[in-house]
Amino acid sequence: MRVLLTGGAGYIGSHTALELLGRGHQVVVLDDFSNSSPEATRRVGELAGQEVPLVRADLTDPEATRAALEGIDFDAVVHFAGLKAVGESVAQPTRYYRTNIDSTLVLLDLMRERGVTKLVFSSSATVYGDPRYVPQDEAHPVGQALTNPYGWSKAMIEQIITDTATAWPELEAVLLRYFNPVGAHPSGRIGEDPSGIPNNLMPFIAQVAVGKRAELSVFGDHYDTPDGTGVRDYIHVMDLAAGHVAALEHAAPGVTAYNLGSGTGSSVFDVIRAFEAASGVAVPYAVVAPRPGDVANVVANPEKANRELNWATTLTLEDACRDSWAWQSQNPNGYAAN
Ligand code: NAD
Ligand code: UDP
């Protein structure tokens, strides 16, 4: 397959590009580099031993996107492009809705114009909101009482894709609800390069371990969990990347949602300990107040993806910590010149 990766220079897109190339597919990356660097795609090419075509365009701009993709053929799309910082989405709702929703509308129109029917969308476990039961399967209610515009935008896009499939029955769409992506390619050449202060746990810990930040704030230790800290389902980004390849290869007419997670929960203290063991570096921390909007326990039931996509995680939290440390220690300033 020749696969267009919108937002393909980002964290998950760059690992998925490498995985697709490794399985013999071709890729084209489209990105506006608002939260990434062309260097990520260059390194994907270096690891894959082939140059990766790169198109710069703002996907919310239909004319610019059409012009940028003129003469470039593809028969499937993975739609990563969008804004993803939960806290920022609360402060800048219109920017978040405009970017995430407009980019999807432009893409769906373009796909229909070109007769490209295969679509994999980067959704999120956040569409389930505060879990009614754990582990969550795909039948868990979606889009109810969500706490931030980022989560709402993902739930709305799932609905937009579903409505588009009603009007266009040839559309083969897969909604991938990611749990907590972590880790990096084992080479340490590509990884997560957050701009500013990391919002997520693992990149924050990595920056503490490498000496860029003094200590980790642990957001609460009185949750109803075994050690009182928040429990999440961490999934190695290479397992996540493989999930996209499986989704593309199994796509069928209509819309199907899959959880991509391991089915195992780890607490904040579990992650700190695993990172310390992998890096050999102490991670100082202080317990502070819970972060508003956080929930105690989010764990995937990944059985549907295991069964229907013939996909399951193969890597552990320890693998993710080792690979995240390889990336962070070799690239303390991310893709910027070190
Ligand atoms: P990322 O920010 O690294 O990648 C997103 C990419 O989209 C970036 O390269 C950015 O420059 C690009 N982009 C943004 N707006 C664009 C526009 N208008 N036109 C073209 N390109 C644009 O994020 P990521 O972690 O790789 O996430 C990829 C997708 O997965 C996102 O949709 C995100 O919401 C979703 N997701 C991520 C997580 C996570 O924890 N990382 C969890 C669940 C879902
Ligand atoms: N967390 C923390 N300190 C941080 C960042 C996160 O204690 O600096 C906790 C957070 O409260 C949650 C877990 O780590 O229990 C994972 O948070 P993250 O932001 O990575 O993912 P999400 O909240 O989206 O699941």
Side-chain angles (χ1 to χ4, degrees):
M1 260 180 265
R2 189 164 162 91
V3 188
L4 175 71
L5 306 183
T6 75
Y11 171 46
I12 301 169
S14 53
H15 291 81
T16 303
L18 186 57
E19 186 70 18
L20 281 163
L21 291 167
R23 305 269 197 109
H25 297 290
Q26 291 171 275
V27 303
V28 178
V29 168
L30 179 145
D31 209 296
D32 68 353
F33 307 114
S34 53
N35 196 39
S36 59
S37 158
E39 174 64 9
T41 306
R42 197 195 65 72
R43 291 193 189 183
V44 169
E46 184 188 280
L47 290 165
Q50 56 182 288
E51 201 171 321
V52 178
L54 188 54
V55 174
R56 180 190 287 260
D58 174 354
L59 187 56
T60 64
D61 179 339
E63 295 320 318
T65 300
R66 254 186 219 102
L69 288 173
E70 210 171 305
I72 297 177
D73 286 328
F74 49 91
D75 34 40
V77 179
V78 186
H79 180 34
F80 299 102
L83 302 174
K84 63 164 183 174
V86 171
E88 194 178 62
S89 80
V90 175
Q92 303 175 13
T94 55
R95 178 171 167 243
Y96 267 67
Y97 284 121
R98 187 174 300 116
T99 303
N100 292 0
I101 290 176
D102 280 4
S103 63
T104 306
L105 298 176
V106 169
L107 178 65
L108 287 167
D109 282 346
L110 189 88
M111 288 177 66
R112 189 140 193 203
E113 271 165 40
R114 292 201 173 197
V116 174
T117 54
K118 267 187 217 308
L119 172 66
V120 173
F121 171 60
S122 295
S123 190
S124 167
T126 190
V127 300
Y128 296 128
D130 199 348
R132 297 200 186 166
Y133 56 87
V134 181
Q136 295 157 279
D137 59 11
E138 292 81 356
H140 186 286
V142 164
Q144 293 185 12
L146 306 185
T147 54
N148 59 79
Y150 168 72
W152 281 116
S153 78
K154 291 291 178 191
M156 288 174 188
I157 294 168
E158 289 200 357
Q159 187 63 46
I160 289 167
I161 292 173
T162 303
D163 292 342
T164 304
T166 303
W168 182 25
E170 291 80 17
L171 183 64
E172 302 168 75
V174 182
L175 314 173
L176 295 181
R177 297 179 183 150
Y178 310 160
F179 280 66
N180 286 60
V182 290
H185 186 260
S187 65
R189 292 292 291 156
I190 56 172
E192 186 170 11
D193 184 14
S195 53
I197 301 171
N199 296 299
N200 296 113
L201 179 64
M202 178 87 67
F204 202 106
I205 290 180
Q207 293 197 3
V208 173
V210 86
K212 285 185 81 172
R213 303 195 184 274
E215 67 176 19
L216 171 73
S217 296
V218 173
F219 297 145
D221 65 352
H222 282 77
Y223 285 109
D224 184 15
T225 59
D227 67 17
T229 65
V231 166
R232 296 291 184 273
D233 186 335
Y234 295 95
I235 170 171
H236 194 297
V237 68
M238 293 312 301
D239 278 335
L240 190 65
H244 291 75
V245 182
L248 281 168
E249 290 175 349
H250 286 81
V255 183
T256 318
Y258 293 102
N259 288 339
L260 293 186
S262 69
T264 303
S266 305
S267 73
V268 176
F269 289 148
D270 289 334
V271 179
I272 295 173
R273 273 193 299 272
F275 206 97
E276 288 182 332
S279 63
V281 177
V283 176
Y285 66 85
V287 177
V288 301
R291 183 169 61 179
D294 267 2
V295 298
N297 192 7
V298 181
V299 179
N301 176 340
E303 281 167 20
K304 188 180 175 195
N306 298 164
R307 202 174 53 241
E308 295 183 12
L309 299 180
N310 195 22
W311 169 91
T313 58
T314 59
L315 299 165
T316 62
L317 177 63
E318 287 68 29
D319 294 322
C321 291
R322 179 199 62 216
D323 298 335
S324 172
W325 179 240
W327 155 253
Q328 185 69 61
S329 55
Q330 290 171 40
N331 305 272
N333 299 315
Y335 292 112
N338 291 304

